Amino acid sequence: MSKRKPDLQKIVSLKRQKAEQDHAIAQKELDRVGAEAQRLVETLSHLDHQREDVRSLMMSHQNGHVTKLLRDIEALQSSVSEKEAELLGVRDVLKRAFDSEDRLKRMKD
């Protein structure tokens, strides 16, 4: 028995599905990292509003909590930028997959 060659339409559909899955994963990861960065910014903002409790603010600063929060926020913001770039790349792959499907449909018509 001879093996049947894969249908081009099926291959393109599978590539589109894979691109959709990659896009969803990248979007979720971007949302997660963005939410974590926002949480840290809110934590830092909360510390800033505790000015009336100068002693705890000073202890927090002396123990490096504020410095660590600032470093973590910077790292997460950098990660957000990377995830956004990754998402744009995945989105481009998805657009090409949709374009390929459209071309195949026009060829059949």
Side-chain angles (χ1 to χ4, degrees):
M1 289 187 201
S2 65
K3 285 188 172 182
R4 189 174 146 209
K5 290 185 178 179
D7 182 23
L8 186 57
Q9 180 67 38
K10 188 173 186 174
I11 292 171
V12 170
S13 293
L14 290 172
K15 286 190 179 247
R16 178 192 45 80
Q17 287 175 351
K18 173 74 168 115
E20 287 175 337
Q21 290 171 349
D22 290 345
H23 183 269
I25 290 168
Q27 183 65 53
K28 284 181 184 177
E29 185 62 18
L30 175 61
D31 293 345
R32 184 193 65 76
V33 171
E36 180 65 15
Q38 182 61 33
R39 185 188 67 77
L40 290 178
V41 167
E42 289 170 1
T43 300
L44 186 61
S45 177
H46 178 70
L47 286 175
D48 193 41
H49 291 302
Q50 291 181 344
R51 290 183 188 264
E52 60 276 354
D53 190 7
V54 176
R55 184 179 173 114
S56 72
L57 184 61
M58 286 177 57
M59 285 179 57
S60 181
H61 187 63
Q62 286 174 347
N63 291 325
H65 184 64
V66 172
T67 307
K68 182 184 180 317
L69 277 175
L70 290 173
R71 269 195 316 259
D72 290 348
I73 289 169
E74 187 176 308
L76 282 171
Q77 287 173 339
S78 175
S79 182
V80 165
S81 297
E82 291 171 9
K83 298 295 180 189
E84 286 172 341
E86 183 180 314
L87 183 62
L88 286 176
V90 171
R91 188 173 290 145
D92 186 50
V93 170
L94 184 57
K95 285 180 184 178
R96 286 183 294 179
F98 277 122
D99 184 52
S100 295
E101 273 191 333
D102 288 343
R103 286 182 183 197
L104 279 175
K105 286 177 185 175
R106 284 185 295 217
M107 287 173 54
K108 287 185 177 183
D109 293 338

